[in-house]
Amino acid sequence: MIAKAFQKFNYTSLIVSSILLMGVSYYYTTLDITWSFFTSKILNGILVFGALMLSNYAIDTVTRQLTIERSNRNAYHLLLYPLVIFSFPLESVDMRFILGSAAIWSAWRNTRLFIETTNNQEKIKRLFDAVLLISISSVLILENIFILLVPVIILFVGNIKTDIKYFILIIGTPIIIIPTISVILSFLNLDNKLFSSYLFDTSDKLETSMVTDFAIQSSFWPLILVIIYFLISVIIKLRKTVGFQRRLLDIIGVFSFFSFIIFFMLNQSISGSEFHYISLIIVYFIAQIFTKKISSIYVNLIFISLIVTTVTFKFII
């Protein structure tokens, strides 16, 4: 039943995915919200839903339109994304990570479109959009600015015809955008709400408390199952990837995943919202399993295992 409903991208699969994301957004509003622009649960729910839909759109572009061959395209990623984020061990909601990850995944979507297009004007537009989104996300968490290294690496080693305009955009956009936003926020007395950081001494310092006695909590088991599927999919994806650019992007994705997951899982001072930073990477790779001609029984088994495990460890145990 699950496999049949998402075999093709259509209005049904899109509506079901949106309803599931709406349910996840409602669940988030029932938790303690540690950081947000609003105190209203309704406004926070709308903000979460908008961010999740934006991420879902980026995932759909990167996963279905740019990576999967037309003959093998399906909509399983639209179901996979709500299940993956619902599996995260969320104790409270920190909107910085949810909004920041949505901006970053939208930037990654534009980066992929930048690589795929051959029109130079379109390339400049896509690169500007990507750098702008990363710059905005760094207003929430300063360390996001380091993600600008990704398009720089791609330009140097990705067999792309370089243009000086690309480097001007990557360097100039954050230099203009970030101070401008800082001045505006200072004028509105909102600067203490933003520019959070792990490394830098800002007005809103993010806590880091490394685990000394590591033990897997029961709330992490749904995520561990997701990681197992992710590791299987990485092997499948890297074995069949053709082309240096796509292999490079896949390697960057895997490296980013392990960097984020190790840091977050070893940090005791997390809300669980931080795992949104690996959501696109997980869905992108696991979706590759479904591009192969596999029985609907196995497809249903994967989704049912995710649903049962998440519900069991979130609401029963």
Side-chain angles (χ1 to χ4, degrees):
M1 181 63 183
I2 295 175
K4 186 176 181 180
F6 287 86
Q7 278 181 343
K8 298 294 181 182
F9 179 85
N10 51 40
Y11 286 115
T12 301
S13 58
L14 185 59
I15 290 171
V16 171
S17 179
S18 301
I19 292 173
L20 290 173
L21 291 177
M22 195 177 297
V24 173
S25 302
Y26 172 77
Y27 171 69
Y28 279 22
T29 62
T30 65
L31 301 173
D32 180 36
I33 299 177
T34 57
W35 191 100
S36 179
F37 293 107
F38 310 109
T39 56
S40 168
K41 286 190 174 183
I42 294 176
L43 291 177
N44 281 316
I46 293 172
L47 199 60
V48 170
F49 180 66
L52 297 184
M53 287 295 291
L54 192 62
S55 297
N56 206 22
Y57 176 59
I59 288 170
D60 179 66
T61 301
V62 174
T63 303
R64 181 176 62 91
Q65 299 180 29
L66 298 181
T67 307
I68 301 173
E69 294 79 7
R70 186 175 298 274
S71 60
N72 292 330
R73 288 178 182 175
N74 53 61
Y76 293 130
H77 57 282
L78 294 180
L79 175 60
L80 190 59
Y81 177 60
L83 295 180
V84 165
I85 59 175
F86 193 54
S87 73
F88 294 157
L90 210 68
E91 295 183 0
S92 58
V93 175
D94 191 326
M95 293 299 298
R96 289 171 294 192
F97 294 99
I98 296 173
L99 296 175
S101 63
I104 288 169
W105 297 142
S106 296
W108 184 245
R109 171 183 177 272
N110 280 285
T111 302
R112 292 300 303 267
L113 291 171
F114 162 78
I115 293 171
E116 296 292 331
T117 186
T118 56
N119 183 283
N120 192 53
Q121 290 301 316
E122 182 68 13
K123 276 184 174 292
I124 292 174
K125 177 182 180 299
R126 292 300 179 182
L127 183 61
F128 173 74
D129 289 345
V131 175
L132 179 63
L133 286 163
I134 294 172
S135 301
I136 292 173
S137 73
S138 67
V139 173
L140 295 169
I141 300 175
L142 272 176
E143 282 77 9
N144 288 341
I145 198 68
F146 295 131
I147 298 175
L148 286 175
L149 291 173
V150 173
V152 172
I153 292 171
I154 292 172
L155 286 175
F156 276 113
V157 301
N159 293 329
I160 295 175
K161 185 179 180 180
T162 55
D163 188 327
I164 190 63
K165 294 178 183 177
Y166 300 158
F167 295 100
I168 293 173
L169 283 176
I170 294 173
I171 297 171
T173 302
I175 290 176
I176 296 172
I177 293 296
I178 295 176
T180 302
I181 295 176
S182 179
V183 170
I184 295 172
L185 292 175
S186 297
F187 178 76
L188 298 173
N189 293 322
L190 295 174
D191 52 321
N192 61 332
K193 289 282 289 182
L194 300 174
F195 297 104
S196 304
S197 176
Y198 286 106
L199 302 175
F200 305 103
D201 189 16
T202 62
S203 58
D204 192 5
K205 183 78 172 175
L206 289 167
E207 295 183 13
T208 54
S209 177
M210 292 296 106
V211 175
T212 55
D213 185 18
F214 184 76
I216 298 176
Q217 302 176 15
S218 60
S219 59
F220 277 82
W221 282 111
L223 178 59
I224 289 173
L225 178 61
V226 169
I227 292 173
I228 291 172
Y229 286 137
F230 169 79
L231 294 175
I232 295 171
S233 65
V234 166
I235 296 171
I236 295 173
K237 181 70 170 70
L238 292 180
R239 286 180 61 184
K240 70 174 186 177
T241 299
V242 178
F244 176 75
Q245 285 185 353
R246 288 192 173 183
R247 185 173 290 274
L248 173 65
L249 295 172
D250 289 345
I251 291 172
I252 290 173
V254 173
F255 176 79
S256 300
F257 170 83
F258 283 109
S259 300
F260 285 129
I261 199 73
I262 291 172
F263 177 74
F264 292 144
M265 291 189 76
L266 293 180
N267 185 6
Q268 295 184 88
S269 304
I270 64 170
S271 68
S273 304
E274 294 86 348
F275 291 108
H276 281 270
Y277 271 63
I278 60 174
S279 58
L280 182 144
I281 303 170
I282 291 174
V283 175
Y284 167 77
F285 274 98
I286 295 181
Q288 308 305 314
I289 297 175
F290 307 126
T291 63
K292 302 179 76 66
K293 301 296 183 181
I294 62 174
S295 171
S296 60
I297 296 175
Y298 297 112
V299 175
N300 287 321
L301 181 62
I302 291 172
F303 284 117
I304 290 172
S305 65
L306 291 174
I307 294 169
V308 171
T309 305
T310 302
V311 171
T312 301
F313 284 96
K314 274 187 177 290
F315 302 109
I316 298 176
I317 296 180

